[in-house]
Amino acid sequence: MTDAQAQGVVFNIQKFSVHDGEGIRTLVFLKGCPLRCRWCSNPESQNLHPEHAFNPSRCLTAQVCGRCLNACTSGALSLVDGLIAHDRSKCSECFACVRACPSGAQSVYGETMSVRQVLDKVEEDGVFYHRSGGGMTLSGGEALMQHEFANALLREARKHHINTTIETCGCYPYEHLHEACKHLNKLIFDIKSLDPVQHKKHTGVDNMLILRNFARVCEDFPQLPILARTPVIPGFNDTEDDILAIRESIPRRPNIQYELLGYHRMGQPKYGYLGRQYELEGAKLDEAKMERLKKIAS
């Protein structure tokens, strides 16, 4: 199989982004992540396989439509007080309800795509990349959970003279990252905390492999532009000591930068669509504190 024929599971392709790399970019979001961050803004990215989602606010109701009820053969959909309800324990994820739904209330996160199909969409905006210095950024989830597909995408993109960036949590065998960096114009690497106990409490895994991979990639690719980032999360890593410790751990080299990302709740509604509970309900990041932390980071 050639790189162009390689397949993976993609859950979103977002055009005209001005974040996550230089210029105007197309973000390709791949399914799968080894972490379970309590604040994750893309909960639909965590599992590798396509997943059913239900947004009741878009439902036309059973009285007006009801097509999904007729399409479901597993008994996962029913009427509760006149409203359509979804029982995930019975759902076979055949997605018949998704195909039957005219409003998008029933949907699926994730589809299998080839490298060629992804790059066809990415290249639609090639004129904007050339003018702005932009290109393609692989994200997730964790793009390198599907490392063979992700690296095939990067190799093929470079053949087409597309600027490439990847944003990563760093939690996987180092060989996967090493291969990716051969084909990158920039690496964005998350460092969430230096405390292994707190890191595991809030993300599900400790940070030892992540920190080891970051140290190795800094040594092995001294010319590669690297942006180390820390998402600042209330109750996890939002103290001056936390940020100062991370800042001091990052090598001070011309090719390495550091920045903070402020906590937000924009992904919270998707937890409901997936039948999950958002764990940081009510959390809020103090703006004045964030400004102080940014000064420390800089």
Side-chain angles (χ1 to χ4, degrees):
M1 181 180 294
T2 66
D3 280 344
Q5 295 171 319
Q7 293 185 329
V9 183
V10 178
F11 72 91
N12 191 19
I13 297 179
Q14 179 181 317
K15 296 189 174 189
F16 302 111
S17 174
V18 292
H19 304 289
D20 304 310
E22 280 70 36
I24 297 173
R25 310 195 69 80
T26 297
L27 309 185
V28 180
F29 294 87
L30 275 57
K31 288 271 278 174
C33 186
L35 275 56
R36 292 295 182 268
C37 300
R38 298 175 64 200
W39 63 90
C40 180
S41 60
N42 290 328
E44 74 277 26
S45 73
Q46 294 174 354
N47 295 320
L48 276 166
H49 58 84
E51 296 174 88
H52 173 270
F54 175 52
N55 181 354
S57 68
R58 300 189 65 174
C59 182
L60 300 177
T61 74
Q63 184 177 5
V64 175
C65 178
R67 296 180 186 179
C68 61
L69 286 170
N70 297 325
C72 180
T73 59
S74 64
L77 297 180
S78 61
L79 283 179
V80 177
D81 296 328
L83 301 176
I84 292 173
H86 180 243
D87 184 345
R88 293 186 173 274
S89 67
K90 297 179 180 179
C91 183
S92 64
E93 294 198 328
C94 66
F95 306 128
C97 61
V98 176
R99 294 187 291 272
C101 179
S103 68
Q106 306 283 359
S107 63
V108 57
Y109 287 124
E111 65 173 306
T112 299
M113 299 182 70
S114 69
V115 166
R116 182 66 269 161
Q117 287 175 308
V118 173
L119 289 184
D120 281 347
K121 290 186 175 292
V122 170
E123 290 185 307
E124 289 174 357
D125 299 319
V127 64
F128 299 107
Y129 309 150
H130 293 300
R131 291 178 178 176
S132 68
M136 177 184 75
T137 297
L138 298 188
S139 186
E142 172 49 62
L144 289 175
M145 278 283 286
Q146 300 184 59
H147 66 95
E148 292 180 347
F149 178 60
N151 282 317
L153 258 174
L154 293 172
R155 288 191 295 265
E156 197 69 12
R158 293 304 292 271
K159 289 180 184 178
H160 290 249
H161 307 287
I162 298 172
N163 179 288
T164 56
T165 295
I166 193 169
E167 49 182 354
T168 179
C169 72
C171 190
Y172 39 70
Y174 178 70
E175 292 73 20
H176 301 170
L177 178 59
H178 190 276
E179 175 62 25
C181 287
K182 296 177 183 178
H183 315 288
L184 289 177
N185 294 103
K186 185 171 187 176
L187 171 67
I188 301 175
F189 197 110
D190 272 14
I191 300 180
K192 299 175 175 67
S193 173
L194 297 189
D195 184 329
V197 175
Q198 286 298 309
H199 197 283
K200 186 169 184 177
K201 177 181 177 181
H202 290 269
T203 73
V205 301
D206 69 34
N207 58 2
M208 304 308 290
L209 177 60
I210 294 169
L211 296 178
R212 187 161 61 245
N213 283 345
F214 182 71
R216 290 186 67 180
V217 78
C218 289
E219 291 300 317
D220 290 350
F221 295 90
Q223 304 302 318
L224 177 65
I226 298 174
L227 174 62
R229 294 198 308 195
T230 299
V232 179
I233 310 302
F236 169 44
N237 61 0
D238 61 338
T239 72
E240 294 184 9
D241 287 343
D242 288 322
I243 300 306
L244 182 60
I246 297 173
R247 167 69 270 187
E248 292 301 317
S249 74
I250 296 170
R252 295 181 182 271
R253 298 178 183 170
N255 67 309
I256 302 175
Q257 297 177 305
Y258 180 54
E259 74 172 12
L260 304 183
L261 296 179
Y263 166 74
H264 63 77
R265 296 191 297 272
M266 288 187 288
Q268 183 173 348
K270 291 185 284 188
Y271 284 81
Y273 305 160
L274 291 164
R276 302 181 197 170
Q277 185 69 33
Y278 185 66
E279 294 187 35
L280 293 189
E281 185 74 44
K284 186 177 181 180
L285 182 63
D286 181 80
E287 293 183 7
K289 175 186 281 190
M290 186 65 186
E291 290 305 312
R292 292 197 301 271
L293 296 179
K294 284 182 178 179
K295 290 180 180 179
I296 292 174
S298 63

